[in-house]
Amino acid sequence: QVQLVESGGGLVQPGGSLRLSCAASRSIASIDRMGWYRQAPGQERELVARTSSDGNTNYADSVKGRFTISRDNTKNTVELQMTGLKPEDTAMYYCNAATSSWSGWHDWWGQGTQVTVSQ
């Protein structure tokens, strides 16, 4: 079990930057994947970026080169640095923790933080 709390969302102009942070209630060192997802109104939740316990990272094609995910196992945090923001990045952003076991993947989610990119 892990509780996740996101922060750092807000309103930003196109081309601007934001840094999202996710704080976990316990050590994340053993959590297989930590990531960020987003969901815009009327759309399905989609993966933005994630980092594995072995250091691998994955990004959605739409954010490659603009977003960077980082994981700090000593502080139990995961951050998403977003640059070159576009209106289409507007969404609720959710932190995710996922662990694998014999029964499959187990997911935990934060409450989300709103990112709005607009003039």
Side-chain angles (χ1 to χ4, degrees):
Q1 192 88 6
V2 59
Q3 282 77 47
L4 304 170
V5 178
E6 303 98 334
S7 62
L11 173 64
V12 64
Q13 293 185 344
S17 300
L18 279 176
R19 189 175 188 89
L20 305 183
S21 183
C22 172
S25 61
R26 68 164 179 85
S27 173
I28 64 171
S30 62
I31 296 179
D32 296 290
R33 296 175 181 171
M34 295 294 301
W36 288 93
Y37 288 70
R38 67 187 180 188
Q39 187 169 19
Q43 298 187 19
E44 294 186 355
R45 191 172 295 188
E46 63 175 1
L47 174 68
V48 176
R50 70 181 174 206
T51 175
S52 301
S53 56
D54 61 3
N56 286 329
T57 57
N58 299 95
Y59 294 92
D61 288 342
S62 60
V63 307
K64 284 181 181 177
R66 300 188 297 123
F67 291 10
T68 303
I69 190 170
S70 61
R71 172 177 181 158
D72 190 331
N73 289 341
T74 63
K75 297 180 180 179
N76 300 324
T77 58
V78 177
E79 294 188 336
L80 185 69
Q81 178 67 49
M82 305 186 293
T83 62
L85 284 161
K86 305 175 181 180
E88 51 263 43
D89 294 318
T90 295
M92 185 71 78
Y93 283 69
Y94 296 92
C95 181
N96 169 263
T99 60
S100 64
S101 70
W102 62 271
S103 61
W105 284 94
H106 302 270
D107 290 278
W108 290 272
W109 297 93
Q111 292 299 306
T113 185
Q114 178 68 38
V115 172
T116 303
V117 185
S118 177
Q119 290 285 1

